[in-house]
Amino acid sequence: MHAHLRAARRPTGVAALALLPALLAACADDPAPAPAPSTSTDPAPAAADAARDELAALAAAAQDRSFTARYTLADGGGSDRSIVVTSAVDGTWRVDVPGGALGGTADVSLATTADGLYQCGLPSAGRPEPASCVRLGDPSDAVPRLLDPRVQHPFTDWLEVLTDRRAPLAVSPARPPQGASGSCYAVDTTSASLNAPLDVGIYCYAPDGTPTAVRTTGGTLVLAGPAGPGPATVQLAGPVTDGEPLGVAAPEPSPESSAQSSAQSSAQTPSGTATP
């Protein structure tokens, strides 16, 4: 009985050989199975952006650098200006900007100390008084737009943008501006926002992080000589007062000066001679 069941459950050797060609033909007609999809979730490696990495490293070194240096600013106005930058050991800073207020007739100094952000008016043609300072806000606050000569940004908050790999920037190597040295990079913004995180242009640095040149639409800053050591902390240019800060734009003419100008104009003939 058991032998009969085993015979019924499996074919004999001859029968199996007879079935083999049919099985092979059926396998040959079936298409090859598709490869199993990859189960890996790892992203494809991104291409290294060497220029962006190099610039970020130099900007980080600039953030840690304490120095005092003089820069030449050429803004296309016909006369160069001498900008003095002080970056202190404790992270405070000061930038003296000749012609930085009142339409270029007044000199100012912008600075941060542990107590706040300040604008100091310096003795100049448009402001003959002694130096005095006005508090604009906390140390981390931005200079208000109407008071901003924009010269200080490459040494202060724009360094944070250049070190931030999430900032919408495109970076590529560039040639130094005339008279400049160091490693230079062309920086553009990839954002369509009107409030760009910095001015596009060329940014140059020495190996130790000292900014050596900056070229933007506002002009070209070039290091005018070797940078010296920075102080332990910056000092304001004058005492702090309750006065009003100086705006960048030229002041509106006073009613008295407008009336005087109109009287002088009406007293002239078209030929430019006084009326008898």
Side-chain angles (χ1 to χ4, degrees), residues 20-219:
L20 184 59
L23 292 173
L24 292 175
C27 292
D29 292 337
D30 292 339
S38 173
T39 59
S40 174
T41 58
D42 295 335
D49 186 348
R52 181 72 181 271
D53 290 341
E54 292 169 4
L55 178 57
L58 289 169
Q63 287 180 309
D64 296 334
R65 180 96 165 87
S66 61
F67 66 94
T68 301
R70 188 177 299 273
Y71 292 81
T72 299
L73 173 61
D75 57 7
S79 60
D80 296 344
R81 290 182 281 166
S82 183
I83 309 297
V84 178
V85 177
T86 304
S87 177
V89 174
D90 64 353
T92 58
W93 56 266
R94 172 177 160 178
V95 179
D96 294 352
V97 187
L102 302 184
T105 63
D107 303 345
V108 293
S109 173
L110 294 170
T112 59
T113 69
D115 298 324
L117 169 68
Y118 295 89
Q119 183 208 68
C120 301
L122 306 177
S124 49
R127 185 190 177 281
E129 302 95 313
S132 62
C133 303
V134 177
R135 191 178 189 273
L136 303 180
D138 294 332
S140 60
D141 287 345
V143 178
R145 182 177 60 85
L146 296 179
L147 311 177
D148 190 358
R150 302 189 67 79
V151 178
Q152 78 284 356
H153 292 293
F155 308 98
T156 57
D157 54 306
W158 287 353
L159 293 176
E160 298 178 7
V161 180
L162 295 175
T163 58
D164 184 0
R165 293 305 305 266
R166 299 168 299 176
L169 303 178
V171 180
S172 59
R175 291 184 177 181
Q178 185 176 0
S181 61
S183 299
C184 300
Y185 302 87
V187 178
D188 200 354
T189 178
T190 59
S191 172
S193 171
L194 295 177
N195 297 319
L198 50 64
D199 285 355
V200 301
I202 296 176
Y203 294 77
C204 305
Y205 296 88
D208 63 1
T210 302
T212 58
V214 179
R215 172 182 288 172
T216 66
T217 55

